[in-house]
C-alpha cells in the first residue's frame, strides 16, 4: 500500500513537471547579431575608418554579420582584409547604400545598383524603383532612415511592392527618428500606419556609423538579431531571406533570449544580464532621454493603431493573439539612470505577427520573393 502511494506521488510530480514545462520553459533561441548599415573610408570624404578596421570592430564585439554599405560604392567582401583570428561564425554580407534622393541598403548584391536620378519623380516612385533595381540583381532592399530631412511621409512607403524592411531605428539619427519630434514624424507612427494599411513591414535597427570615435556617429547603437534556427545557416542569402520573412528582432540596447511566435502564442523572454553588460559602455550607447523613470524592464504589447494594450514588468511574457487585434508586436523597454542627464530608455522591437492572414505575398506580387511562402 505504502509503495502504491509512493508511486502515485512520483507520478503526480512527473505530471506536474510536464505541465510546468509547456511552452513557458523554452530554451533560449540562438541568434545571429548583425548590422546592415555602416560607412568606411573607402569613400574618402565620408568616414575615417578603413573597411578592415570597421570589420575588426564588429568582429571583436561578437557580431556575426556586417554590411559595409558605402554610398553607391561596392566594397567586395573578398577584398576586405579579415581579422587574423577570424571566427567561423562571422561573415560580411555584400551590399551598398543606394544614395539617390532617398537612401536604402541593397542587401546581398554582388555589384553596384544602377544609380538613376529621381528628378521629377514622387517619393513613392523613387523607392519603388530602388526596390525593383535591387531585386533585379538578386538582392533585397531596406528603406533607410525614412524621415531624414523630413523627406518621406508614411503615405510614400504605403503599398510599395516587394518592400518588407525599413530602418525603424538609426544609430546616427537615434531617438529623434524613432520617437519623432516637431520636425520628424516618428518611425513608430510610420510603422503602425503601414501595418494598419495591410502592408507586411519589418523593423530594422542599424548603426549607420560614420566614425569609430565616441560621438554622435559611433557604432554599436542599433543592430538586428536573426533567429539562427530559422535562418538555418550563416550565409548572405540565408540571413537576407530570414530577415525578409521577419525572423529577427531589432535592438537599440536590449537583448532577448526568445522572441518568436509559435502555435498562436507570441513569446518574449528578456536576457537581463546581456543587456546590462552591453549598456555598461556609455561612450558607445545612446538611450532615449526621459524626465522621470523607474529602473528596470517592461514588455509592452502593441496592436492595431499602435495601441499598447498590455504591459508587464516581468522578464517574460507569453501572449495568445486574438483575431480582431489584426496584428500584435512587442516592444521591450529597459529604463536606467544615466550618469549625466537623469533617465534614459533602451529598446528591443519584436516583429509583428498578423492575425488577418496577410502574407509576404501582399507586398510581393512579382519578382523573386513572390515564390517564397510566408512560413509563420
Ligand atoms: Zn543614408
Ligand atoms: Zn548611411
Amino acid at each position: 500500500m505504502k509503495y502504491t502511494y509512493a508511486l502515485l506521488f512520483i507520478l503526480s510530480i512527473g505530471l506536474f513537471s510536464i505541465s510546468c514545462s509547456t511552452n513557458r520553459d523554452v530554451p533560449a533561441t540562438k541568434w545571429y547579431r548583425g548590422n546592415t548599415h555602416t560607412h568606411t573610408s573607402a569613400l574618402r570624404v565620408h568616414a575615417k575608418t578603413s573597411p578592415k578596421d570597421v570589420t575588426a570592430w564588429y568582429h571583436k564585439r561578437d557580431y556575426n554579420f556586417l554590411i559595409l554599405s558605402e554610398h553607391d560604392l561596392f566594397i567586395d567582401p573578398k577584398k576586405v582584409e579579415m581579422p587574423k583570428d577570424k571566427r567561423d561564425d562571422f561573415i560580411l554580407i555584400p551590399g551598398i547604400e543606394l544614395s539617390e534622393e532617398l537612401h536604402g541598403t541593397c542587401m546581398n548584391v554582388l555589384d553596384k545598383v544602377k544609380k538613376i536620378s529621381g528628378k521629377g519623380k514622387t517619393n513613392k516612385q523613387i523607392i519603388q524603383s530602388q526596390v525593383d533595381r535591387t531585386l533585379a540583381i538578386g538582392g533585397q532592399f531596406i528603406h533607410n532612415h525614412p524621415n531624414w530631412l523630413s523627406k518621406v511621409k508614411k503615405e510614400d512607403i504605403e503599398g510599395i511592392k516587394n518592400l518588407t524592411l525599413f530602418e525603424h531605428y538609426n544609430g546616427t539619427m537615434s531617438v529623434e527618428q524613432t520617437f519623432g519630434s516637431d520636425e520628424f514624424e516618428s518611425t513608430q507612427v510610420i510603422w503602425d500606419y503601414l501595418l494598419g494599411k495591410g502592408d507586411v513591414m519589418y523593423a530594422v535597427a542599424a548603426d549607420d556609423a560614420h566614425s569609430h570615435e565616441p560621438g554622435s556617429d559611433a557604432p554599436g547603437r542599433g543592430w538586428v538579431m536573426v533567429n539562427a534556427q530559422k535562418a538555418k545557416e550563416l550565409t548572405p542569402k540565408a540571413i537576407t531571406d530570414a530577415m525578409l520573412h521577419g525572423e529577427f528582432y531589432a535592438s537599440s540596447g536590449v537583448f532577448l533570449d526568445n522572441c518568436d511566435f509559435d502555435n498562436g502564442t507570441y513569446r518574449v523572454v528578456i536576457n537581463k544580464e546581456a543587456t546590462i553588460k552591453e549598456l555598461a559602455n556609455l561612450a558607445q550607447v545612446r538611450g532615449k532621454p526621459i524626465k522621470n523613470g523607474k529602473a528596470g524592464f517592461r514588455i509592452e504589447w502593441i496592436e492595431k493603431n499602435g495601441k499598447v494594450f498590455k504591459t508587464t514588468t516581468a522578464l517574460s511574457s507569453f501572449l495568445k493573439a486574438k483575431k480582431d487585434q489584426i496584428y500584435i508586436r512587442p516592444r521591450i523597454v529597459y529604463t536606467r539612470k544615466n550618469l549625466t542627464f537623469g533617465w534614459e530608455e533602451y529598446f528591443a522591437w519584436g516583429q509583428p505577427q498578423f492575425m488577418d492572414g496577410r502574407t509576404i505575398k501582399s507586398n510581393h506580387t512579382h519578382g523573386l520573393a513572390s515564390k517564397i511562402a510566408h512560413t509563420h
Side-chain angles (χ1 to χ4, degrees):
M1 194 69 179
K2 259 183 191 167
Y3 185 74
T4 316
Y5 276 129
L7 190 68
L8 277 173
F9 181 69
I10 289 162
L11 271 175
S12 65
I13 296 254
L15 282 173
F16 180 71
S17 56
I18 287 166
S19 64
C20 280
S21 67
T22 49
N23 60 10
R24 263 151 227 275
D25 234 0
V26 282
T29 301
K30 180 174 162 25
W31 301 98
Y32 290 134
R33 183 178 183 181
N35 176 30
T36 54
H37 189 176
T38 196
H39 295 284
T40 72
S41 59
L43 199 66
R44 256 186 289 156
V45 289
H46 204 199
K48 284 187 204 152
T49 315
S50 69
K52 178 192 161 197
D53 290 344
V54 170
T55 302
W57 192 96
Y58 287 94
H59 177 265
K60 198 177 163 192
R61 282 155 187 85
D62 288 334
Y63 281 66
N64 301 102
F65 65 92
L66 174 68
I67 303 180
L68 298 170
S69 57
E70 200 43 74
H71 282 181
D72 310 308
L73 178 78
F74 180 66
I75 299 174
D76 186 348
K78 287 195 202 93
K79 293 181 182 157
V80 177
E81 195 181 330
M82 287 288 158
K84 287 200 171 52
D85 58 345
K86 192 187 98 57
R87 306 185 317 267
D88 288 341
D89 62 349
F90 179 82
I91 59 165
L92 287 177
I93 295 179
I96 61 161
E97 184 179 27
L98 191 54
S99 73
E100 297 164 344
E101 285 79 355
L102 305 169
H103 291 190
T105 298
C106 308
M107 194 173 176
N108 194 26
V109 291
L110 287 167
D111 201 351
K112 274 169 74 167
V113 176
K114 203 173 146 227
K115 194 177 173 181
I116 54 174
S117 166
K119 229 178 165 196
K121 289 192 178 140
T122 63
N123 282 344
K124 201 187 271 295
Q125 287 169 331
I126 293 170
I127 302 168
Q128 187 65 68
S129 156
Q130 293 177 323
V131 172
D132 292 347
R133 276 177 282 148
T134 309
L135 258 75
I137 58 168
Q140 286 297 334
F141 190 73
I142 304 170
H143 176 63
N144 287 350
H145 46 69
N147 44 22
W148 173 61
L149 303 179
S150 307
K151 274 187 178 171
V152 173
K153 303 281 173 259
K154 52 191 185 301
E155 294 83 3
D156 297 335
I157 309 175
E158 184 188 337
I160 295 209
K161 290 192 174 50
N162 298 319
L163 179 71
T164 52
L165 298 165
F166 89 118
E167 252 181 24
H168 180 53
Y169 177 88
N170 176 296
T172 300
M173 281 162 236
S174 194
V175 288
E176 292 80 12
Q177 167 169 265
T178 307
F179 298 96
S181 65
D182 293 343
E183 274 179 89
F184 299 122
E185 182 163 64
S186 87
T187 53
Q188 284 198 140
V189 169
I190 293 174
W191 195 16
D192 285 307
Y193 171 85
L194 297 172
L195 298 177
K197 289 286 179 184
D199 284 347
V200 176
M201 189 59 68
Y202 299 123
V204 173
D207 273 340
D208 197 5
H210 287 69
S211 166
H212 280 238
E213 289 144 25
S216 64
D217 292 347
R221 289 178 174 168
W223 62 88
V224 289
M225 300 292 278
V226 174
N227 187 319
Q229 279 99 329
K230 294 285 168 65
K232 293 196 175 70
E233 54 179 3
L234 181 64
T235 62
K237 182 164 187 340
I239 294 295
T240 307
D241 283 350
M243 286 184 66
L244 178 69
H245 287 84
E247 304 291 3
F248 68 104
Y249 69 87
S251 178
S252 74
V254 176
F255 280 109
L256 305 175
D257 275 340
N258 300 97
C259 185
D260 55 38
F261 190 74
D262 188 37
N263 221 359
T265 300
Y266 207 135
R267 307 180 292 208
V268 171
V269 180
I270 294 167
N271 187 331
K272 183 180 168 184
E273 292 72 29
T275 302
I276 290 170
K277 192 173 161 219
E278 180 75 15
L279 297 177
N281 185 351
L282 276 175
Q284 170 194 326
V285 298
R286 188 171 164 201
K288 177 193 176 199
I290 51 169
K291 277 195 187 123
N292 295 302
K294 194 166 177 290
F297 291 89
R298 68 178 190 274
I299 300 170
E300 298 175 336
W301 289 99
I302 296 167
E303 59 176 3
K304 63 185 172 198
N305 302 322
K307 185 180 154 215
V308 177
F309 66 93
K310 185 183 159 89
T311 302
T312 171
T313 53
L315 289 177
S316 66
S317 183
F318 295 70
L319 201 87
K320 247 195 157 37
K322 294 192 204 104
K323 248 205 141 43
D324 64 350
Q325 288 178 303
I326 312 295
Y327 67 88
I328 58 166
R329 63 178 185 89
R331 176 173 59 204
I332 301 88
V333 190
Y334 174 57
T335 310
R336 72 172 185 183
K337 237 186 157 103
N338 183 288
L339 295 176
T340 50
F341 60 78
W343 296 83
E344 58 177 355
E345 290 180 329
Y346 292 89
F347 302 87
W349 295 276
Q351 305 303 341
Q353 295 297 332
F354 304 107
M355 311 310 141
D356 58 1
R358 92 181 63 163
T359 68
I360 199 167
K361 284 179 188 164
S362 48
N363 293 41
H364 294 248
T365 52
H366 64 84
L368 227 127
S370 62
K371 291 174 194 132
I372 306 166
H374 201 249
T375 51
H376 286 303

